[in-house]
Amino acid sequence: MSYKVSLHGVRGSRPKHKLEMLGYGGNSTSIEFKVDEDFHLFLDGGSGLVKRGIELGKEPPKKEFHILITHTHWDHILGFPLFEPMYNPKNTFTFYASNTQKASFEELFKGLMNSNHLPVPSSQIKAKINFVEIKPGNEFKIGPNVKVKTLQLNHQGITLGYRVEYKGASAIVITDNAPIENGNYMGENMATLAKADPKQFEKQFDLGLIGFLDQADLVVFDTHFTEENLKPDWGHSTPQRALAFCDKARVKKLSLFHHAPEDSDSDVDAKLASICDEAVKKGVEVFASTEGHEWTLV
Amino acid sequence: MDSSLKIKFWGTRGLVSSPGPDHAIYGGNTATIQISKNDQFIVVDSGFGLTNFGDSLAGKSNLDIHIFYTQFRWDHTQGLPFFLPIYFPENNIHLYSPHPADEIHKKLDILFDPSYSPFEGLKKMPANIHCHQIKQNDLVQTFNVQFEEVNVGREIRKNSNIPSYSYRFSSADAPDLAVVLNHEASPCKENEKVTELCRDVDMLIHDALYFEEDYLDHQGWGHSTPRLALELALKARARKVILTQHAPGRTDQSINELMDALKKEKNFQNLKFDFAQEEPEYIVEQIKNVKKAI
């Protein structure tokens, strides 16, 4: 009976292979929630998912796959057509994702899988695929024992943060997400909702995020930028802001995530060092997400 | 004037990038090949390897970049939105393919689509983007360009009948180079034409995604094994071969082991070949006493 969280891809924006950054890893976003159930549960399908797919071929097979989608930027989805289990007709995939005004996730996903420019033959992707629409704030269960909560993040489209609760422990992924201050409203509908009272809207957003993180065992948080190089309208945050939220929410562990493609291993070390003292004072254990790292929460 | 070609593989992976310490030798970025002659260079494909190339151009301005596309599968195009020079209005980026210019634009535009990216379309990027339909024997950056359709495999044809291409770049004063990616070098009319395209080439860069044991389940998927590639090279009498498009997850150790085994085989004893690495620069020397005719 266990709950583990495993990082398969921690790099932001795009996968990148460059020797100076391979300590933390170059594969793009994919995280696995290893719950002691009959199914696999992943968040996003960046290139990190492909490597995991090769490993899964060597393990006893589970046939059910549940995938939580934060958003449809390339770095979060480009691994799916190369994910080995998608080729097995005995496997079933359920995707949980938001639909924007422009297109549903199902349309976007099918559009890609049937693309003339898919790197692999789409005829060979034989798993059964289902789609569940998630509206921000929706809560749902996967199987009898896994509870999932969602929240809209400050990023393009409708980007979702996820809280996965199992056996009394909770792990949360907040990516991609930008500071919401000074009118930086990136998500669909946010500008409209904020119009009447922007200050109140921003305050509510931050309070909502703190509430969402409440007393989580582990929070994996987008810290692409530093305070010095922050470009808020690019859609990402900093270690300092992540720590501030986690402190207010009394989170136990914070893992810095979505390392910029420009970040060498030393740059990520520096990001971690920049919040170490403060984290100790606030009682939050901090990590810099490393590809291949696994936490055991239960 | 130095009559050699310099080749740098900024990306050696097929299908998807595969970063990792056990890929330190043979590389982990998707396909990008830079070909330099004297002061000029061209690029083949814009996989994620292109972004590392872009990093190396930081601080340079008024650039003219010439990228030839073998195809528009994402692993051959996906680096373009993250190519540093595309963010500067004084740069010119020329994109070549045997497909019509508006088709080239359309096929690359998906990478910049706001549903999948933080961008608003290829047209909105700061650099000047020029799409060119290439014709046989066009001259670009002093390279004579020829192309032939590759064998994309019967399984790929089920979802796409859009041709992909191999290229031969020739010069009167430098070695000839052929680039053959996503080509399944099994008997068919495309293979005969590609072999002809590579006739007597000084350097052949060829796809070798599948090792023998993988190929059993992937026939018709549009890639070669090292053996198929080397057999084509022998038939075409290519002087040197570099095998690229390593499968995701293929480790340095497994490539080294296979290379050692292949080099011991009688058939390939007289053939000079390597597996592509991302760090070194490969130099192809002109054979001085051979008269070149285009």
Side-chain angles (χ1 to χ4, degrees), chain B residues 215-266:
Chain B
Y215 188 57
L216 295 172
D217 291 330
H218 293 90
Q219 288 184 52
W221 287 48
H223 293 278
S224 292
T225 59
R227 186 177 304 281
L228 285 173
L230 294 175
E231 282 167 4
L232 184 150
L234 282 174
K235 208 164 170 201
R237 294 193 305 266
R239 194 153 64 86
K240 281 184 188 174
V241 188
I242 298 182
L243 303 172
T244 189
Q245 305 259 95
H246 315 314
R250 173 86 56 228
T251 61
D252 291 340
Q253 187 186 348
S254 67
I255 295 175
N256 279 336
E257 282 168 6
L258 180 62
M259 184 158 66
D260 288 344
L262 287 170
K263 288 202 174 192
K264 291 190 173 98
E265 282 192 32
K266 206 164 170 205

CSV table of all heavy atoms in Angstrom, one decimal, chain B residues 215-266:
chain,number,residue,atom,x,y,z
B,215,TYR,N,13.5,-3.9,-36.0
B,215,TYR,CA,13.0,-3.8,-37.4
B,215,TYR,C,12.0,-4.8,-37.7
B,215,TYR,O,11.0,-4.6,-38.4
B,215,TYR,CB,14.2,-3.8,-38.4
B,215,TYR,CG,13.7,-3.5,-39.8
B,215,TYR,CD1,13.1,-2.3,-40.1
B,215,TYR,CD2,14.0,-4.5,-40.8
B,215,TYR,CE1,12.8,-2.0,-41.4
B,215,TYR,CE2,13.6,-4.2,-42.1
B,215,TYR,CZ,13.0,-3.0,-42.4
B,215,TYR,OH,12.6,-2.7,-43.7
B,216,LEU,N,12.1,-6.0,-37.0
B,216,LEU,CA,11.1,-7.1,-37.2
B,216,LEU,C,9.7,-6.6,-37.0
B,216,LEU,O,8.8,-7.0,-37.8
B,216,LEU,CB,11.4,-8.2,-36.2
B,216,LEU,CG,12.7,-8.9,-36.4
B,216,LEU,CD1,13.0,-9.9,-35.3
B,216,LEU,CD2,12.8,-9.7,-37.7
B,217,ASP,N,9.5,-5.8,-36.0
B,217,ASP,CA,8.1,-5.3,-35.7
B,217,ASP,C,7.8,-3.9,-36.4
B,217,ASP,O,6.8,-3.4,-36.2
B,217,ASP,CB,7.9,-5.1,-34.2
B,217,ASP,CG,7.9,-6.4,-33.5
B,217,ASP,OD1,7.4,-7.4,-34.1
B,217,ASP,OD2,8.3,-6.5,-32.3
B,218,HIS,N,8.8,-3.4,-37.1
B,218,HIS,CA,8.6,-2.0,-37.6
B,218,HIS,C,8.9,-1.9,-39.1
B,218,HIS,O,9.3,-0.9,-39.6
B,218,HIS,CB,9.5,-1.1,-36.8
B,218,HIS,CG,9.2,-0.9,-35.4
B,218,HIS,ND1,9.7,-1.7,-34.4
B,218,HIS,CD2,8.3,-0.1,-34.8
B,218,HIS,CE1,9.1,-1.4,-33.2
B,218,HIS,NE2,8.3,-0.4,-33.4
B,219,GLN,N,8.7,-3.0,-39.8
B,219,GLN,CA,8.8,-2.9,-41.3
B,219,GLN,C,7.7,-2.1,-41.8
B,219,GLN,O,6.5,-2.2,-41.4
B,219,GLN,CB,8.8,-4.3,-41.9
B,219,GLN,CG,10.1,-5.1,-41.6
B,219,GLN,CD,10.2,-6.4,-42.2
B,219,GLN,OE1,10.0,-6.5,-43.4
B,219,GLN,NE2,10.4,-7.4,-41.5
B,220,GLY,N,8.0,-1.2,-42.7
B,220,GLY,CA,7.0,-0.4,-43.3
B,220,GLY,C,6.8,1.0,-42.5
B,220,GLY,O,5.9,1.8,-42.9
B,221,TRP,N,7.6,1.2,-41.5
B,221,TRP,CA,7.5,2.4,-40.7
B,221,TRP,C,8.4,3.5,-41.2
B,221,TRP,O,8.4,4.6,-40.7
B,221,TRP,CB,7.8,2.1,-39.2
B,221,TRP,CG,6.8,1.3,-38.5
B,221,TRP,CD1,6.1,0.2,-38.9
B,221,TRP,CD2,6.2,1.6,-37.2
B,221,TRP,NE1,5.2,-0.2,-37.9
B,221,TRP,CE2,5.3,0.6,-36.9
B,221,TRP,CE3,6.5,2.6,-36.2
B,221,TRP,CZ2,4.6,0.6,-35.6
B,221,TRP,CZ3,5.8,2.6,-35.0
B,221,TRP,CH2,4.8,1.6,-34.7
B,222,GLY,N,9.2,3.2,-42.3
B,222,GLY,CA,9.9,4.3,-43.0
B,222,GLY,C,11.3,4.6,-42.4
B,222,GLY,O,11.7,5.7,-42.6
B,223,HIS,N,11.9,3.6,-41.8
B,223,HIS,CA,13.3,3.8,-41.4
B,223,HIS,C,14.1,2.6,-41.7
B,223,HIS,O,13.6,1.6,-41.9
B,223,HIS,CB,13.3,4.0,-39.9
B,223,HIS,CG,12.7,5.3,-39.4
B,223,HIS,ND1,13.3,6.5,-39.4
B,223,HIS,CD2,11.4,5.5,-38.9
B,223,HIS,CE1,12.4,7.4,-39.0
B,223,HIS,NE2,11.3,6.8,-38.7
B,224,SER,N,15.4,2.9,-41.8
B,224,SER,CA,16.4,1.8,-42.1
B,224,SER,C,17.0,1.2,-40.9
B,224,SER,O,17.0,1.8,-39.8
B,224,SER,CB,17.4,2.3,-43.1
B,224,SER,OG,16.9,2.6,-44.3
B,225,THR,N,17.6,0.1,-41.0
B,225,THR,CA,18.6,-0.4,-40.1
B,225,THR,C,20.0,0.0,-40.5
B,225,THR,O,20.2,0.3,-41.7
B,225,THR,CB,18.5,-2.0,-40.0
B,225,THR,OG1,18.9,-2.5,-41.3
B,225,THR,CG2,17.2,-2.5,-39.6
B,226,PRO,N,21.0,-0.1,-39.6
B,226,PRO,CA,22.3,0.2,-40.1
B,226,PRO,C,22.7,-0.6,-41.3
B,226,PRO,O,23.3,-0.2,-42.2
B,226,PRO,CB,23.2,-0.1,-38.9
B,226,PRO,CG,22.3,0.2,-37.7
B,226,PRO,CD,20.9,-0.3,-38.2
B,227,ARG,N,22.3,-1.9,-41.3
B,227,ARG,CA,22.7,-2.8,-42.3
B,227,ARG,C,22.1,-2.3,-43.7
B,227,ARG,O,22.8,-2.3,-44.7
B,227,ARG,CB,22.2,-4.2,-42.0
B,227,ARG,CG,22.7,-5.3,-43.0
B,227,ARG,CD,22.2,-6.7,-42.4
B,227,ARG,NE,22.7,-6.9,-41.1
B,227,ARG,CZ,23.9,-7.3,-40.8
B,227,ARG,NH1,24.8,-7.5,-41.8
B,227,ARG,NH2,24.3,-7.4,-39.6
B,228,LEU,N,20.8,-2.0,-43.7
B,228,LEU,CA,20.2,-1.5,-44.9
B,228,LEU,C,20.8,-0.3,-45.4
B,228,LEU,O,21.1,-0.1,-46.6
B,228,LEU,CB,18.7,-1.2,-44.7
B,228,LEU,CG,17.7,-2.4,-44.5
B,228,LEU,CD1,16.3,-2.0,-44.1
B,228,LEU,CD2,17.6,-3.2,-45.8
B,229,ALA,N,21.2,0.6,-44.5
B,229,ALA,CA,21.9,1.9,-44.9
B,229,ALA,C,23.2,1.6,-45.5
B,229,ALA,O,23.6,2.1,-46.5
B,229,ALA,CB,22.0,2.8,-43.7
B,230,LEU,N,24.0,0.7,-44.9
B,230,LEU,CA,25.3,0.4,-45.3
B,230,LEU,C,25.3,-0.3,-46.7
B,230,LEU,O,26.1,-0.1,-47.6
B,230,LEU,CB,26.1,-0.4,-44.3
B,230,LEU,CG,26.4,0.3,-43.0
B,230,LEU,CD1,27.1,-0.6,-42.0
B,230,LEU,CD2,27.3,1.5,-43.2
B,231,GLU,N,24.3,-1.2,-46.9
B,231,GLU,CA,24.1,-1.9,-48.2
B,231,GLU,C,23.8,-0.9,-49.3
B,231,GLU,O,24.3,-1.0,-50.4
B,231,GLU,CB,23.0,-3.0,-48.0
B,231,GLU,CG,23.6,-4.2,-47.3
B,231,GLU,CD,22.5,-5.2,-46.9
B,231,GLU,OE1,21.3,-5.0,-47.2
B,231,GLU,OE2,22.9,-6.2,-46.2
B,232,LEU,N,23.0,0.1,-49.0
B,232,LEU,CA,22.8,1.2,-50.0
B,232,LEU,C,24.0,1.9,-50.3
B,232,LEU,O,24.4,2.2,-51.4
B,232,LEU,CB,21.7,2.1,-49.5
B,232,LEU,CG,21.2,3.2,-50.4
B,232,LEU,CD1,19.8,3.6,-50.2
B,232,LEU,CD2,22.1,4.5,-50.4
B,233,ALA,N,24.8,2.2,-49.2
B,233,ALA,CA,26.1,2.9,-49.4
B,233,ALA,C,27.0,2.1,-50.3
B,233,ALA,O,27.7,2.7,-51.1
B,233,ALA,CB,26.7,3.2,-48.0
B,234,LEU,N,27.1,0.8,-50.1
B,234,LEU,CA,28.0,0.0,-50.9
B,234,LEU,C,27.5,0.0,-52.4
B,234,LEU,O,28.3,0.2,-53.3
B,234,LEU,CB,27.9,-1.5,-50.4
B,234,LEU,CG,28.7,-1.8,-49.2
B,234,LEU,CD1,28.5,-3.2,-48.7
B,234,LEU,CD2,30.2,-1.6,-49.4
B,235,LYS,N,26.2,-0.1,-52.6
B,235,LYS,CA,25.7,-0.1,-53.9
B,235,LYS,C,25.9,1.2,-54.6
B,235,LYS,O,26.2,1.3,-55.8
B,235,LYS,CB,24.2,-0.4,-53.9
B,235,LYS,CG,23.6,-1.0,-55.1
B,235,LYS,CD,22.3,-1.7,-54.9
B,235,LYS,CE,21.7,-2.1,-56.2
B,235,LYS,NZ,20.2,-2.2,-56.2
B,236,ALA,N,25.8,2.3,-53.9
B,236,ALA,CA,26.0,3.7,-54.4
B,236,ALA,C,27.5,4.0,-54.5
B,236,ALA,O,27.8,5.0,-55.1
B,236,ALA,CB,25.3,4.7,-53.6
B,237,ARG,N,28.3,3.2,-53.9
B,237,ARG,CA,29.8,3.5,-53.8
B,237,ARG,C,30.1,4.8,-53.1
B,237,ARG,O,30.9,5.6,-53.5
B,237,ARG,CB,30.4,3.5,-55.2
B,237,ARG,CG,30.4,2.2,-55.9
B,237,ARG,CD,31.4,2.2,-57.2
B,237,ARG,NE,31.0,3.3,-58.1
B,237,ARG,CZ,30.2,3.1,-59.1
B,237,ARG,NH1,29.7,2.0,-59.4
B,237,ARG,NH2,29.9,4.2,-59.9
B,238,ALA,N,29.4,5.1,-52.0
B,238,ALA,CA,29.6,6.2,-51.2
B,238,ALA,C,31.0,6.1,-50.5
B,238,ALA,O,31.3,5.0,-50.1
B,238,ALA,CB,28.5,6.4,-50.1
B,239,ARG,N,31.7,7.2,-50.5
B,239,ARG,CA,33.1,7.1,-49.9
B,239,ARG,C,33.1,6.9,-48.4
B,239,ARG,O,33.9,6.2,-47.9
B,239,ARG,CB,33.9,8.3,-50.4
B,239,ARG,CG,35.3,8.2,-50.2
B,239,ARG,CD,36.1,9.1,-51.2
B,239,ARG,NE,35.9,10.5,-51.0
B,239,ARG,CZ,36.6,11.3,-50.2
B,239,ARG,NH1,37.5,10.8,-49.4
B,239,ARG,NH2,36.3,12.6,-50.1
B,240,LYS,N,32.2,7.7,-47.8
B,240,LYS,CA,32.1,7.6,-46.3
B,240,LYS,C,30.6,7.7,-45.9
B,240,LYS,O,29.8,8.3,-46.6
B,240,LYS,CB,32.8,8.8,-45.6
B,240,LYS,CG,34.3,8.7,-45.5
B,240,LYS,CD,34.9,9.9,-44.8
B,240,LYS,CE,36.4,9.9,-44.9
B,240,LYS,NZ,37.0,11.1,-44.3
B,241,VAL,N,30.3,7.1,-44.7
B,241,VAL,CA,28.9,7.0,-44.3
B,241,VAL,C,28.8,7.4,-42.8
B,241,VAL,O,29.6,7.0,-42.0
B,241,VAL,CB,28.3,5.6,-44.4
B,241,VAL,CG1,26.8,5.7,-44.2
B,241,VAL,CG2,28.6,5.0,-45.8
B,242,ILE,N,27.8,8.3,-42.5
B,242,ILE,CA,27.5,8.5,-41.1
B,242,ILE,C,26.1,8.2,-40.9
B,242,ILE,O,25.2,8.6,-41.6
B,242,ILE,CB,27.8,10.0,-40.7
B,242,ILE,CG1,29.3,10.3,-40.9
B,242,ILE,CG2,27.4,10.2,-39.3
B,242,ILE,CD1,29.6,11.7,-40.5
B,243,LEU,N,25.8,7.3,-39.9
B,243,LEU,CA,24.5,6.8,-39.6
B,243,LEU,C,23.9,7.6,-38.5
B,243,LEU,O,24.5,7.8,-37.5
B,243,LEU,CB,24.6,5.3,-39.2
B,243,LEU,CG,25.2,4.4,-40.3
B,243,LEU,CD1,25.4,3.0,-39.7
B,243,LEU,CD2,24.4,4.3,-41.5
B,244,THR,N,22.7,8.1,-38.8
B,244,THR,CA,22.0,9.0,-37.8
B,244,THR,C,20.6,8.6,-37.5
B,244,THR,O,20.1,7.6,-38.0
B,244,THR,CB,22.2,10.5,-38.2
B,244,THR,OG1,21.8,11.3,-37.2
B,244,THR,CG2,21.4,10.8,-39.5
B,245,GLN,N,19.9,9.5,-36.8
B,245,GLN,CA,18.5,9.2,-36.4
B,245,GLN,C,18.5,8.0,-35.4
B,245,GLN,O,17.7,7.0,-35.6
B,245,GLN,CB,17.6,8.9,-37.6
B,245,GLN,CG,17.6,9.9,-38.6
B,245,GLN,CD,16.3,10.8,-38.6
B,245,GLN,OE1,16.4,11.9,-37.9
B,245,GLN,NE2,15.3,10.4,-39.2
B,246,HIS,N,19.2,8.1,-34.3
B,246,HIS,CA,19.3,7.0,-33.3
B,246,HIS,C,17.9,7.0,-32.6
B,246,HIS,O,17.3,8.0,-32.3
B,246,HIS,CB,20.4,7.3,-32.3
B,246,HIS,CG,21.7,7.7,-32.9
B,246,HIS,ND1,22.2,7.1,-34.0
B,246,HIS,CD2,22.5,8.7,-32.6
B,246,HIS,CE1,23.4,7.7,-34.3
B,246,HIS,NE2,23.6,8.7,-33.5
B,247,ALA,N,17.4,5.8,-32.4
B,247,ALA,CA,16.1,5.6,-31.7
B,247,ALA,C,16.1,6.2,-30.3
B,247,ALA,O,17.1,6.2,-29.6
B,247,ALA,CB,15.7,4.2,-31.7
B,248,PRO,N,15.0,6.8,-29.8
B,248,PRO,CA,14.9,7.2,-28.5
B,248,PRO,C,15.3,6.1,-27.5
B,248,PRO,O,14.8,5.0,-27.7
B,248,PRO,CB,13.5,7.7,-28.3
B,248,PRO,CG,12.8,7.6,-29.6
B,248,PRO,CD,13.7,6.9,-30.5
B,249,GLY,N,16.1,6.4,-26.5
B,249,GLY,CA,16.5,5.4,-25.6
B,249,GLY,C,17.7,4.5,-26.0
B,249,GLY,O,18.2,3.8,-25.2
B,250,ARG,N,18.1,4.6,-27.2
B,250,ARG,CA,19.3,3.9,-27.7
B,250,ARG,C,20.5,4.4,-27.0
B,250,ARG,O,20.8,5.6,-27.2
B,250,ARG,CB,19.4,4.0,-29.2
B,250,ARG,CG,20.6,3.5,-29.8
B,250,ARG,CD,20.5,2.0,-30.2
B,250,ARG,NE,19.4,1.7,-31.0
B,250,ARG,CZ,18.5,0.8,-30.8
B,250,ARG,NH1,18.6,0.0,-29.8
B,250,ARG,NH2,17.5,0.6,-31.7
B,251,THR,N,21.2,3.6,-26.2
B,251,THR,CA,22.3,4.1,-25.4
B,251,THR,C,23.6,4.2,-26.1
B,251,THR,O,23.8,3.5,-27.2
B,251,THR,CB,22.5,3.3,-24.1
B,251,THR,OG1,22.9,1.9,-24.6
B,251,THR,CG2,21.3,3.2,-23.3
B,252,ASP,N,24.5,5.0,-25.6
B,252,ASP,CA,25.9,5.0,-26.2
B,252,ASP,C,26.5,3.6,-26.3
B,252,ASP,O,27.1,3.2,-27.3
B,252,ASP,CB,26.8,5.9,-25.4
B,252,ASP,CG,26.4,7.4,-25.5
B,252,ASP,OD1,25.7,7.8,-26.4
B,252,ASP,OD2,26.8,8.2,-24.6
B,253,GLN,N,26.3,2.9,-25.2
B,253,GLN,CA,26.9,1.6,-25.1
B,253,GLN,C,26.4,0.7,-26.2
B,253,GLN,O,27.1,-0.1,-26.9
B,253,GLN,CB,26.7,0.9,-23.8
B,253,GLN,CG,27.4,-0.4,-23.6
B,253,GLN,CD,27.0,-1.0,-22.3
B,253,GLN,OE1,26.4,-0.4,-21.4
B,253,GLN,NE2,27.4,-2.3,-22.1
B,254,SER,N,25.1,0.7,-26.4
B,254,SER,CA,24.5,-0.2,-27.5
B,254,SER,C,25.0,0.2,-28.9
B,254,SER,O,25.2,-0.7,-29.7
B,254,SER,CB,23.0,-0.2,-27.4
B,254,SER,OG,22.4,1.0,-27.7
B,255,ILE,N,25.1,1.5,-29.1
B,255,ILE,CA,25.6,1.9,-30.4
B,255,ILE,C,27.1,1.5,-30.6
B,255,ILE,O,27.4,0.9,-31.7
B,255,ILE,CB,25.5,3.4,-30.6
B,255,ILE,CG1,24.0,3.8,-30.6
B,255,ILE,CG2,26.1,3.9,-31.9
B,255,ILE,CD1,23.7,5.3,-30.6
B,256,ASN,N,27.9,1.7,-29.6
B,256,ASN,CA,29.3,1.2,-29.7
B,256,ASN,C,29.4,-0.3,-30.0
B,256,ASN,O,30.2,-0.7,-30.8
B,256,ASN,CB,30.0,1.6,-28.4
B,256,ASN,CG,30.5,3.0,-28.3
B,256,ASN,OD1,30.6,3.7,-29.3
B,256,ASN,ND2,30.6,3.5,-27.1
B,257,GLU,N,28.6,-1.0,-29.2
B,257,GLU,CA,28.6,-2.5,-29.4
B,257,GLU,C,28.2,-2.9,-30.8
B,257,GLU,O,28.9,-3.7,-31.5
B,257,GLU,CB,27.7,-3.2,-28.4
B,257,GLU,CG,28.3,-3.3,-27.0
B,257,GLU,CD,27.2,-3.7,-26.0
B,257,GLU,OE1,26.1,-4.0,-26.3
B,257,GLU,OE2,27.6,-3.6,-24.8
B,258,LEU,N,27.2,-2.3,-31.4
B,258,LEU,CA,26.8,-2.6,-32.7
B,258,LEU,C,27.8,-2.2,-33.7
B,258,LEU,O,28.1,-2.9,-34.7
B,258,LEU,CB,25.4,-2.0,-33.0
B,258,LEU,CG,24.9,-2.3,-34.5
B,258,LEU,CD1,24.7,-3.8,-34.6
B,258,LEU,CD2,23.6,-1.6,-34.8
B,259,MET,N,28.4,-1.0,-33.5
B,259,MET,CA,29.4,-0.5,-34.5
B,259,MET,C,30.6,-1.4,-34.5
B,259,MET,O,31.0,-1.8,-35.6
B,259,MET,CB,29.8,0.9,-34.1
B,259,MET,CG,30.8,1.5,-35.1
B,259,MET,SD,30.9,3.3,-35.1
B,259,MET,CE,31.6,3.5,-33.5
B,260,ASP,N,31.0,-1.9,-33.3
B,260,ASP,CA,32.1,-2.8,-33.3
B,260,ASP,C,31.8,-4.1,-34.1
B,260,ASP,O,32.6,-4.6,-34.9
B,260,ASP,CB,32.5,-3.2,-31.9
B,260,ASP,CG,33.2,-2.1,-31.1
B,260,ASP,OD1,33.6,-1.1,-31.8
B,260,ASP,OD2,33.2,-2.1,-29.9
B,261,ALA,N,30.6,-4.6,-33.9
B,261,ALA,CA,30.2,-5.8,-34.6
B,261,ALA,C,30.1,-5.6,-36.1
B,261,ALA,O,30.6,-6.5,-36.9
B,261,ALA,CB,28.8,-6.3,-34.0
B,262,LEU,N,29.5,-4.5,-36.5
B,262,LEU,CA,29.4,-4.3,-38.0
B,262,LEU,C,30.8,-4.1,-38.6
B,262,LEU,O,31.0,-4.5,-39.8
B,262,LEU,CB,28.5,-3.0,-38.2
B,262,LEU,CG,27.0,-3.1,-37.9
B,262,LEU,CD1,26.4,-1.8,-38.0
B,262,LEU,CD2,26.4,-4.1,-39.0
B,263,LYS,N,31.7,-3.5,-37.9
B,263,LYS,CA,33.0,-3.2,-38.5
B,263,LYS,C,33.8,-4.5,-38.7
B,263,LYS,O,34.7,-4.5,-39.5
B,263,LYS,CB,33.8,-2.2,-37.6
B,263,LYS,CG,33.2,-0.8,-37.8
B,263,LYS,CD,34.1,0.3,-37.5
B,263,LYS,CE,33.4,1.6,-37.8
B,263,LYS,NZ,34.1,2.8,-37.8
B,264,LYS,N,33.3,-5.6,-38.0
B,264,LYS,CA,34.0,-6.8,-38.2
B,264,LYS,C,33.5,-7.6,-39.3
B,264,LYS,O,34.0,-8.6,-39.8
B,264,LYS,CB,33.9,-7.7,-36.9
B,264,LYS,CG,34.7,-7.1,-35.7
B,264,LYS,CD,34.7,-8.1,-34.5
B,264,LYS,CE,35.6,-7.6,-33.4
B,264,LYS,NZ,34.9,-6.9,-32.3
B,265,GLU,N,32.3,-7.2,-39.9
B,265,GLU,CA,31.7,-8.0,-40.9
B,265,GLU,C,32.4,-7.8,-42.2
B,265,GLU,O,32.8,-6.7,-42.6
B,265,GLU,CB,30.2,-7.5,-41.1
B,265,GLU,CG,29.3,-8.1,-40.0
B,265,GLU,CD,27.9,-8.0,-40.3
B,265,GLU,OE1,27.5,-8.0,-41.5
B,265,GLU,OE2,27.1,-7.8,-39.3
B,266,LYS,N,32.6,-8.9,-42.9
B,266,LYS,CA,33.3,-8.9,-44.2
B,266,LYS,C,32.8,-7.9,-45.2
B,266,LYS,O,33.6,-7.2,-45.8
B,266,LYS,CB,33.2,-10.4,-44.8
B,266,LYS,CG,34.4,-10.7,-45.6
B,266,LYS,CD,34.4,-12.2,-45.9
B,266,LYS,CE,35.5,-12.5,-46.9
B,266,LYS,NZ,35.2,-13.8,-47.6
